[in-house]
């Protein structure tokens, strides 16, 4: 597997996650709020992992794989867990629904939390990076 096949999803995720740092607002809704105060450390850690991957591949590939795996689990617990089980670690379901009430959504069901457009794409990109990183690590380990 070429390094470029692994870096493309990483850069897409970095660009998409950067939207969380600046926020994207519409007249009465938003794609994502400006959350650099809450999520800035996550962004900086991921940015550092990607830079490591680009310049120090042997360490960077592991940094990207480990960080995005941890990040995916956190995102799953904070979003999809609510969808599946109707409760979670970030407070009551009603609070979660209210917090994301103005977010652009794919689907809205009364009394259910469904991850919004931004978070759905974020989770897909994180998972893509986890998978491509794992494949890259496996392929580079077996290459002579």
């Amino acid at each position: 597997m070429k390094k470029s096949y692994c870096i493309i999803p990483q850069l897409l995720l970095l660009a998409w996650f950067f939207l969380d740092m600046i926020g994207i607002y519409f007249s009465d809704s938003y794609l994502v709020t400006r959350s650099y105060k809450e999520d800035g450390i996550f962004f900086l850690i991921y940015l550092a992992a990607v830079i490591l991957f680009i310049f120090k591949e042997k360490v960077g590939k592991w940094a990207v794989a480990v960080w995005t795996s941890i990040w995916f689990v956190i995102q799953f617990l904070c979003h999809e867990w609510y969808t599946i089980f109707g409760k979670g670690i970030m407070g009551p379901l009603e609070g979660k629904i209210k917090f994301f009430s103005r977010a652009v959504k794919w689907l809205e069901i009364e009394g259910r939390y469904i991850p919004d457009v931004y978070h759905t794409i974020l989770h897909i990109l994180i998972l893509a990076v986890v998978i491509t990183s794992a494949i890259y690590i496996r392929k580079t380990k077996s290459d002579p």
Side-chain angles (χ1 to χ4, degrees), residues 24-64:
I24 303 293
Y25 298 89
F26 307 108
S27 59
D28 61 343
S29 63
Y30 60 84
L31 178 65
V32 61
T33 59
R34 182 180 305 119
S35 302
Y36 63 88
K37 289 180 183 176
E38 297 85 358
D39 298 335
I41 191 70
F42 283 88
F43 182 81
L44 292 174
I45 291 169
Y46 181 60
L47 176 62
V50 171
I51 291 169
L52 266 175
F53 180 77
I54 292 169
F55 294 107
K56 299 284 186 183
E57 179 189 330
K58 287 186 178 189
V59 174
K61 65 185 178 185
W62 288 102
V64 168

Side-chain angles (χ1 to χ4, degrees), residues 12 16 22 35-36 43 47-48 51 53 59 70-73 77-78 84 90 101 104 113 117 129 136-137 143:
L12 287 171
W16 188 256
I22 60 172
S35 302
Y36 63 88
F43 182 81
L47 176 62
I51 291 169
F53 180 77
V59 174
I70 292 167
W71 189 16
F72 183 77
V73 169
L77 292 173
C78 293
I84 296 166
M90 294 184 68
S101 64
V104 176
Y113 171 74
V117 171
V129 170
Y136 185 77
I137 288 169
D143 288 346

Side-chain angles (χ1 to χ4, degrees), residues 54-120:
I54 292 169
F55 294 107
K56 299 284 186 183
E57 179 189 330
K58 287 186 178 189
V59 174
K61 65 185 178 185
W62 288 102
V64 168
V66 169
W67 178 250
T68 53
S69 296
I70 292 167
W71 189 16
F72 183 77
V73 169
I74 292 167
Q75 287 294 311
F76 182 86
L77 292 173
C78 293
H79 294 277
E80 283 76 11
W81 192 271
Y82 280 87
T83 304
I84 296 166
F85 298 107
K87 58 185 175 181
I89 63 172
M90 294 184 68
L93 176 65
E94 298 76 22
K96 189 82 164 169
I97 293 169
K98 184 178 179 184
F99 186 81
F100 289 103
S101 64
R102 292 184 38 235
V104 176
K105 298 173 184 62
W106 304 101
L107 177 66
E108 198 163 353
I109 300 173
E110 181 76 27
R112 300 271 319 174
Y113 171 74
I114 310 285
D116 55 89
V117 171
Y118 174 81
H119 283 96
T120 304

